[in-house]
C-alpha cells in the first residue's frame, strides 16, 4: 500500500513509495511477457476512466492495465456525457461515484483538477494529466524505462528538451528524477523555459549542443501549440534548426545518448524520424513500460492481493 491515498502528482510524493512503484513495475512487466497476460489481483474492483482531454497512450495504457489486473472498467468521455446538457463537474462525478466505484483515473485540461476531484468523491484518484500541472504516471513510466536501460536512476544526467513551460511531463519528471537522485538539465527557447524553473533543482541551457554533451539520456517534448495563446517562437522551421533532434546533431557528440519522447511526436519538428526510430531511442519501450507501471500503480493504490499477481 502507498502512504498517500491518491496519486495527484510527484511534487509531494514520498521517494520510497516512488521507488516501490518502479520496482513493482518490473514484476508486472514479467506478466506482460506471459502467453496469458492476466492476473486476478484487482478482481472485484471497479475503475472509471474520466477523460476530458484527448489521449491515445495514457487512456489505452490504463485500460489495458486494468484489464490485465481483472478490474471492471468503465470509460467516460466528456463529449458524449450529460456535461453537454449543462450538468456540473461536481454532479457528474458524484453521480458516477454513487454507482459504487473504487477509483477514478482522470485527464483534464485544468491544472489542479485532480486535487479538486478529491474534494467531491471518496474513491482513489489517479491523475492522468491535469493541464500544464503534472502527469505523474508518465514520469513513473519514464523512470522505469531509464532504470530498465541503465540499471539505475541515481546519478544519471537527464536532459529535458523543448516546451518546458507548458509541460506537465517535464514538471513530474523533474520532481521524480530529483527524488530518485538523478540530475536534470532543461533546454529550450527562453520563451518556453520558465525563468524560475531553477528553483525546482534543475540546470538551464538554451544551447542544444550543451545539453547533448552533458546528458546520458534526453526526453524530447512536443511543442504544445494548443496550450499557447501567442507565438512564443518565430517559426517551426527556426525551432527545428535550433532545438530539433536529428541524427546529424547527435553524431557530433561521439557518444550514445538514449532518446525518450512521451508522445505524441511531431516528426520533423522536435525530432526527426531517423532519431526517433534509431537504435538509441526507447520510445516504444516507454509505451510498453507504461502498461506495467500503471498496473503497479493501480495495484499499490487499490490494495491488490499480492498472492494473486
Ligand atoms: N504521453 C501521453 O500522455 O500521451 P497521450 O496524450 O496520447 O495520452
Amino acid at each position: 500500500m502507498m502512504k498517500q491515498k491518491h496519486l495527484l502528482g510527484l511534487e509531494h510524493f514520498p521517494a520510497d513509495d516512488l521507488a516501490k512503484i518502479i520496482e513493482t513495475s518490473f514484476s508486472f512487466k514479467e506478466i506482460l511477457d506471459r502467453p496469458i497476460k492476466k492476473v486476478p489481483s484487482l478482481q472485484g474492483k471497479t475503475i472509471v476512466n474520466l477523460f476530458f482531454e484527448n489521449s491515445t497512450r495514457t487512456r489505452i495504457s490504463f485500460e489495458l492495465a486494468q484489464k490485465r489486473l481483472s478490474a471492471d472498467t468503465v470509460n467516460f468521455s466528456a463529449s458524449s456525457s450529460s456535461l453537454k446538457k449543462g450538468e456540473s463537474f461536481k454532479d457528474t462525478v458524484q453521480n458516477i461515484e454513487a454507482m459504487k466505484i473504487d477509483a477514478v483515473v482522470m485527464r483534464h485540461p485544468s491544472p489542479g483538477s485532480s486535487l479538486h476531484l478529491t474534494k467531491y468523491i471518496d474513491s482513489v484518484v489517479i491523475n492522468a494529466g491535469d493541464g500544464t500541472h503534472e502527469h505523474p504516471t508518465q514520469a513513473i513510466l519514464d523512470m522505469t524505462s531509464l532504470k530498465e536501460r541503465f540499471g539505475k536512476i541515481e546519478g544519471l544526467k537527464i536532459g529535458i528538451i523543448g516546451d518546458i513551460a507548458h509541460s506537465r511531463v517535464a514538471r513530474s519528471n523533474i520532481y521524480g528524477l530529483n527524488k530518485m537522485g538523478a540530475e536534470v538539465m532543461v533546454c529550450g527557447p527562453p520563451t518556453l523555459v520558465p525563468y524560475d524553473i531553477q528553483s525546482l533543482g534543475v540546470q538551464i541551457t538554451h544551447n542544444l549542443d550543451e545539453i547533448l554533451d552533458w546528458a546520458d539520456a534526453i526526453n524530447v517534448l512536443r511543442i504544445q501549440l494548443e496550450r499557447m495563446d501567442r507565438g512564443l517562437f518565430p517559426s517551426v522551421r527556426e525551432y527545428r534548426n535550433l532545438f530539433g533532434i536529428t541524427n546529424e546533431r547527435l553524431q557530433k557528440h561521439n557518444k550514445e545518448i538514449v532518446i525518450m519522447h512521451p508522445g505524441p511526436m511531431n516528426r520533423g519538428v522536435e525530432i526527426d524520424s531517423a532519431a526517433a526510430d534509431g537504435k538509441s531511442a526507447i520510445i516504444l519501450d516507454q509505451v510498453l513500460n507504461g502498461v506495467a507501471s500503471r498496473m503497479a500503480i493501480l495495484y499499490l493504490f487499490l490494495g491488490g492481493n499480492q498472492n494473486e499477481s
Side-chain angles (χ1 to χ4, degrees):
M1 287 295 285
M2 301 277 94
K3 292 187 194 76
Q4 296 185 350
K5 177 175 175 181
H6 310 287
L7 178 54
L8 304 180
L10 298 188
E11 183 177 7
H12 305 295
F13 199 73
D16 55 345
D17 277 352
L18 190 50
K20 193 178 198 174
I21 296 173
I22 294 167
E23 282 315 311
T24 309
S25 300
F26 292 108
S27 310
F28 281 114
K29 188 153 184 198
E30 181 263 320
I31 291 167
L32 298 179
D33 289 328
R34 294 181 191 168
I36 296 174
K37 303 169 182 55
K38 203 171 174 95
V39 288
S41 310
L42 291 186
Q43 208 160 43
K45 302 282 187 190
T46 305
I47 304 170
V48 177
N49 299 312
L50 279 182
F51 277 71
F52 291 88
E53 197 186 67
N54 294 343
S55 168
T56 298
R57 279 147 291 272
T58 311
R59 188 173 57 79
I60 292 176
S61 176
F62 264 114
E63 264 185 75
L64 269 178
Q66 292 153 7
K67 288 184 196 321
R68 304 286 189 233
L69 293 170
S70 307
D72 295 316
T73 69
V74 181
N75 294 315
F76 167 94
S77 164
S79 59
S80 56
S81 74
S82 290
L83 284 163
K84 289 281 168 204
K85 300 176 191 164
E87 186 168 56
S88 70
F89 176 78
K90 178 182 173 184
D91 282 333
T92 300
V93 296
Q94 287 185 335
N95 273 275
I96 291 171
E97 185 165 61
M99 298 184 213
K100 300 283 179 203
I101 61 164
D102 299 288
V104 173
V105 173
M106 186 172 79
R107 169 165 291 190
H108 197 285
S110 300
S113 49
S114 295
L115 174 64
H116 190 60
L117 178 60
T118 63
K119 313 288 180 215
Y120 295 143
I121 65 172
D122 286 330
S123 305
V124 172
V125 173
I126 308 286
N127 179 6
D130 59 338
T132 55
H133 176 229
E134 282 223 39
H135 193 351
T137 67
Q138 177 70 43
I140 289 169
L141 77 87
D142 288 344
M143 288 185 281
T144 302
S145 304
L146 285 168
K147 180 136 194 202
E148 182 176 67
R149 179 65 177 229
F150 291 97
K152 62 172 188 174
I153 300 172
E154 188 169 3
L156 290 180
K157 293 178 173 173
I158 309 301
I160 305 178
I161 299 169
D163 183 355
I164 311 296
H166 298 94
S167 178
R168 55 195 176 204
V169 175
R171 225 167 304 283
S172 288
N173 262 280
I174 290 168
Y175 295 133
L177 287 165
N178 277 343
K179 282 180 204 283
M180 300 308 291
E183 287 181 65
V184 182
M185 184 186 284
V186 298
C187 175
T191 47
L192 294 180
V193 179
Y195 71 93
D196 59 349
I197 196 126
Q198 265 168 326
S199 66
L200 301 188
V202 302
Q203 301 175 60
I204 297 179
T205 180
H206 303 295
N207 179 333
L208 184 60
D209 286 318
E210 183 183 343
I211 199 166
L212 293 179
D213 212 30
W214 176 85
D216 298 310
I218 52 171
N219 208 339
V220 185
L221 304 176
R222 182 174 67 91
I223 295 295
Q224 300 194 41
L225 294 171
E226 75 276 20
R227 297 196 206 277
M228 294 182 197
D229 55 9
R230 64 208 149 101
L232 292 174
F233 52 89
S235 69
V236 166
R237 189 168 163 203
E238 182 178 301
Y239 182 86
R240 181 186 180 280
N241 285 341
L242 289 174
F243 297 103
I245 303 301
T246 64
N247 269 354
E248 297 70 43
R249 201 81 187 235
L250 292 167
Q251 278 156 11
K252 280 168 64 181
H253 293 274
N254 289 323
K255 61 169 189 173
E256 184 173 33
I257 305 169
V258 169
I259 297 171
M260 306 168 78
H261 195 306
M265 272 189 282
N266 286 320
R267 289 174 184 259
V269 181
E270 73 270 7
I271 191 164
D272 273 10
S273 286
D277 302 331
K279 64 178 175 40
S280 299
I282 59 167
I283 296 168
L284 293 179
D285 298 323
Q286 288 172 265
V287 176
L288 176 60
N289 288 332
V291 180
S293 292
R294 287 171 177 131
M295 287 171 80
I297 289 162
L298 293 168
Y299 169 79
L300 289 167
F301 277 89
L302 286 170
N305 187 340
Q306 207 151 18
N307 297 323
E308 294 181 344
S309 61

